[in-house]
Amino acid sequence: MTWLERLDRRWIFLVMGLLVLGPLLKPLYLPLTVTKHVLNFRDAIDRVPNGSTILMSCDYDPGSIPEMVPMTRTAMRHLLSKNCKVVITVLWPAGPGLVDSVTRRVAAEFPGKRYGVDWINLGYKAGNEAVMVVMGQGIANAFPRDYTGAETRSFPIMHNVRDYTSFPLLVNISAGYPGTKEWVQQVQARFHLPMVSGCTAVSAPEYYPYLQSGQLLGLLGGMAGAAEYEKSRGEQGTATKGMDAQSLGHVFVALCIVLGNLARRARPGEEPR
Amino acid sequence: MKRELPLLMTALIGLFMILSFFIPHPWVSVPADFLQSTAIVLVAFGYVLGGANVLRINLDAVYRRSPDWLFKLLLVVALLVTVIVGVIDGARNHGGFLNQGTNSKWLYDEIYSPMASTLFALLAFYIASAAFRAFRIRTVEAGLLAVAAVIVMLGRVPIGDRFTAFLPEPLHLGTMQQWIMDVPQNAAKRAILIGAALGVMATGLRVILGIERSYLGGED
Amino acid sequence: MTPHLTMDFGTWVAAFLTLCAFSFLYRDNPFYKLAEHLFVGVSAGYYIVLNYWTVIWPNLLQPLGKALHGQGVDATRTGMFAAELGDYRGWLLLPGVLGLLLFTRLFGKIGWLSRWPLAVIIGVYAGIKTTGFAQGDFVAQVQASLQPLLLPSPWLTFSAIVFLVGLVTSLLFFFFSREHKGALAVASRTGMYFLMIGFGAGYGFTVMSRISLLIGRFQFLLENWLGLR
C-alpha cells in the first residue's frame, strides 16, 4: 500500500474534478426524495395568505451561489405566484449585486409584477444584529434608501410596511454570519416573527435544534435542500442538475476516507508527509 | 482617562442595551434605537478603515520593493480604480452604484463574483485530499465520527438510497441519515448551543463590566 | 452537446480568472497571483465604496444635510435637533464624529481616540448579543428540551429517550467543576460519543457544501462560457 501513501494529491484533485464534471456533461438522472424539513419550508410559505407582504432576507455572497441562488429563485417564484409582495434585504457586504441580479430575473418571469409595487430590494446595510433590531422599530429607519438609491418610503409597497408586525413570515436565505442564527435570536425570539430558513450545508446541522424547538418552521440545507425544494415545486433548476455530480463527489470522499486509512494500516507508526 | 472613559462608555451602553430588551418605554427604546443606528454607521466606517488599511500596507510594500511588489502594485491600481469608478457611478445614480449597466456592476459581476466563487470552490479538492491524508480512524470516537460522516454524506444524496434500495426502508441510508440528524446530532448540537449561549452571556457581561478589556488594545 | 462559445467579453474575463484560480491546484504560479491580487484590490475598493453609498451616505450624510435646514423624515416637525424614533437629525453628528475618530488608529500618537467609537460598538453588540443568546438560544432551547418521553409509537419513544440521554450527557461532558470520575465519567464518555456523531454529521454536510461550490463553477464554465446546455 506504500504507493497509495505516497500518492501526489494532485491525482486526487484530478479524479475529484472528473467525477464532478462527468455527470454535468452526461446526467445520471438519479431520483431525488423530498425530505420533511423541505416540505415544512414549502408548506409554511403555502400557509401564508395570498397577497401578504413577506420579508425575505438574502444574506449571502458569491461564495455560496450554487446553494443559495436556487433557493432564492424558487422561494421568490413561490411567493410571487401567490401574489405575495416581497421586501428583500441583504446583510452581507458582497451580496447586494448578486441578489439584485437573481431577484430581477425571477421577477421578470412575472410580467405583471412591478418593482416598488410588488417587490423591492432594500439593498445592503452594515451592522449585522444591530440592523435587525433597528428594523424592529421601523424597516425604513434602517433602510432609508433602497438598492437603486431611491427613497424607500416613496414606494407603494412600503406604504403598509412599518416594522416586523407588517409581515406574517420571514424567509431567510443565509450563508453564515450574519444569518439564520442571528435572525432567530434577535427577531424570532424578540419580535416573534415566524421564520423559515434556507442555508448552506455547512451551517444546516446547527439549525436542527431550532427546527425541533419550533423557532424555525422549515429548513433547506445546502444544494440538496435546494434541489428538493425545486422538485416539490415542480421545477428543474441548477440545484437539481447538480445532484448527480454531488452524489459522485460524496462517494469519492467516502472512498478517500476508507482508502486513506487502509493505506496507513500497512505502516501504523509512520506519519504521512 | 484614555482607558477608563471607553470602559465606562462600554459599561453604560451595554447595560442600557440589555435594559432596552425589557423596557419598551420610549425613554429607553428611542435612545437604544439611536445607539444601534450609531453602531451601524460606525461599522460602515470600520469597513472603510479596513479598505484604507489595505491600501496603506500595499503602498508601503510597493515603495519598499518587497517580493511580488508588481502584483501589489496591480492590487493598489485595482483598488483605486474600483473606488473611483464606484464614486462616479454612485454620484450619477443617487447612490445606486451597483445599478444594472454601471461599470461598478461590471467589476462586481465579472471580477469580484467569479473570483470569490472560485476561491471557495477550491475547497472541494482540498476536502477530498484531506479525507485521504488526514482522516485517521485510530480510536472508537474517530470511528464513530467517520461512520456518522459516511452515512450522512451518502444518505443526503440520491445515490445513497440507490445503494440500499434492496434493504427494508428503515435501513435505507436516507432514513438513517434523517434519524441521525434529528436525534443524536440534534442532541449534541443543542448541548453545544446551550453551552455556547452560557459562554456568550458570561463573556458579554465580562465585557460590559470591564473585566474583559482586550478590545482596548495598546498600553496607554 | 455542441459548444456555443459566448461572445460576451465580461464572461470571457470571468472564465479567464476562474481558470487562473484553478491553476493553483497544480502549483502556485504568476497567473494565480495575478488573479488573487486583482481580486483583493477590487474587493477592498468595493467594500469602501459600498459602505459609503449604502450606509454613510443614506444613514448619515443625507439626513444630516436635511437636518441643517431643520428638516427630517417627518415634514411636520422642524428643527435641527427635533428628533424622534428613527429620525435623529442633528444628533447624527455624534456617529459622524465617532466614525471619523476611528481613523485616528492610523496615526500612532492620537490612536487612543479610536477607543471611543470602539467602546460604542462593543457596548451595543455586547448588550444585543447577551440578550439574543439568552432568549433565543438558552431559554428557548431549554424550554424545547422539556418534551414528553412517552409517545404514540415505540420508535418515537425510543428516539425521545435517546435525544434526552444525548442532550444531558453532552452537557455533562462540558461540566468541569468536578473531576470526571465514577458516574460522571460514564456520562461524560457517553456525551463524547454523541458529540462525535454530531461532528461526523457536520463533516458530512461540510463535504456537501464544498462540492456544491465546485459544481457551481463547473456549471458556469460549461453553460455560461462554453454554451453547453
Side-chain angles (χ1 to χ4, degrees), chain A residues 61-221:
Chain A
D61 67 5
S64 327
I65 286 176
E67 296 177 287
M68 305 281 94
V69 166
M71 290 177 190
T72 308
R73 279 194 202 123
T74 310
M76 189 149 170
R77 267 188 211 116
H78 195 173
L79 291 166
L80 291 178
S81 68
K82 286 169 61 68
N83 285 323
C84 287
K85 300 182 197 306
V86 187
V87 176
I88 297 162
T89 60
V90 183
L91 296 182
W92 278 45
L98 170 64
V99 171
D100 187 66
S101 299
V102 171
T103 51
R104 267 182 201 281
R105 266 188 219 129
V106 173
E109 296 170 16
F110 296 82
K113 304 293 180 189
R114 288 182 294 147
Y115 184 84
V117 177
D118 301 292
W119 69 286
I120 188 170
N121 181 359
L122 298 181
Y124 163 75
K125 201 61 61 183
N128 307 334
E129 294 100 324
V131 180
M132 296 172 189
V133 182
V134 169
M135 285 168 74
Q137 301 292 345
I139 306 294
N141 296 347
F143 294 88
R145 302 223 157 224
D146 79 328
Y147 174 84
T148 64
E151 272 209 36
T152 302
R153 291 177 176 91
S154 68
F155 290 100
I157 189 176
M158 297 301 291
H159 290 167
N160 292 328
V161 169
R162 215 189 83 81
D163 50 34
Y164 291 125
T165 57
S166 309
F167 308 111
L169 185 72
L170 162 66
V171 177
N172 175 232
I173 312 290
S174 93
Y177 176 80
T180 298
K181 192 177 180 69
E182 288 67 41
W183 282 105
V184 167
Q185 290 171 345
Q186 302 298 338
V187 177
Q188 195 284 327
R190 189 166 176 163
F191 301 96
H192 308 294
L193 176 62
M195 67 179 279
V196 291
S197 163
C199 64
T200 53
V202 167
S203 352
E206 70 178 281
Y207 301 148
Y208 273 70
Y210 295 139
L211 273 172
Q212 197 263 347
S213 66
Q215 288 166 289
L216 283 179
L217 300 176
L219 181 72
L220 306 176

Side-chain angles (χ1 to χ4, degrees), chain C residues 54-218:
Chain C
T54 60
V55 182
I56 297 172
W57 172 248
N59 287 54
L60 179 71
L61 296 178
Q62 267 196 322
L64 259 181
K66 274 183 166 175
L68 285 171
H69 297 98
Q71 286 164 1
V73 174
D74 185 353
T76 61
R77 275 183 312 111
T78 51
M80 188 173 165
F81 292 98
E84 66 169 10
L85 184 73
D87 182 14
Y88 299 113
R89 305 199 178 187
W91 297 96
L92 290 170
L93 279 168
L94 191 63
V97 168
L98 285 171
L100 290 173
L101 283 179
L102 263 176
F103 288 92
T104 59
R105 282 185 88 80
L106 299 172
F107 309 104
K109 281 224 162 71
I110 52 170
W112 61 270
L113 283 166
S114 66
R115 287 180 188 150
W116 294 0
L118 270 175
V120 174
I121 293 172
I122 297 293
V124 168
Y125 283 98
I128 288 176
K129 277 188 175 303
T130 301
T131 50
F133 272 85
Q135 177 70 31
D137 276 10
F138 187 67
V139 170
Q141 290 297 309
V142 169
Q143 198 171 13
S145 303
L146 303 168
Q147 296 285 334
L149 286 179
L150 287 174
L151 292 166
S153 88
W155 180 248
L156 288 176
T157 302
F158 169 74
S159 298
I161 294 169
V162 168
F163 183 89
L164 181 67
V165 168
L167 175 63
V168 172
T169 54
S170 299
L171 281 169
L172 284 173
F173 176 80
F174 293 113
F175 184 72
F176 298 118
S177 303
R178 228 186 107 216
E179 196 186 342
H180 286 192
K181 278 198 306 199
L184 185 56
V186 172
S188 170
R189 188 136 204 105
T190 311
M192 199 202 308
Y193 292 149
F194 275 90
L195 287 165
M196 287 299 125
I197 294 172
F199 295 143
Y203 176 83
F205 269 71
T206 302
V207 167
M208 169 154 64
S209 205
R210 303 302 176 220
I211 292 175
S212 64
L213 302 182
L214 179 62
I215 292 169
R217 288 328 288 159
F218 279 173

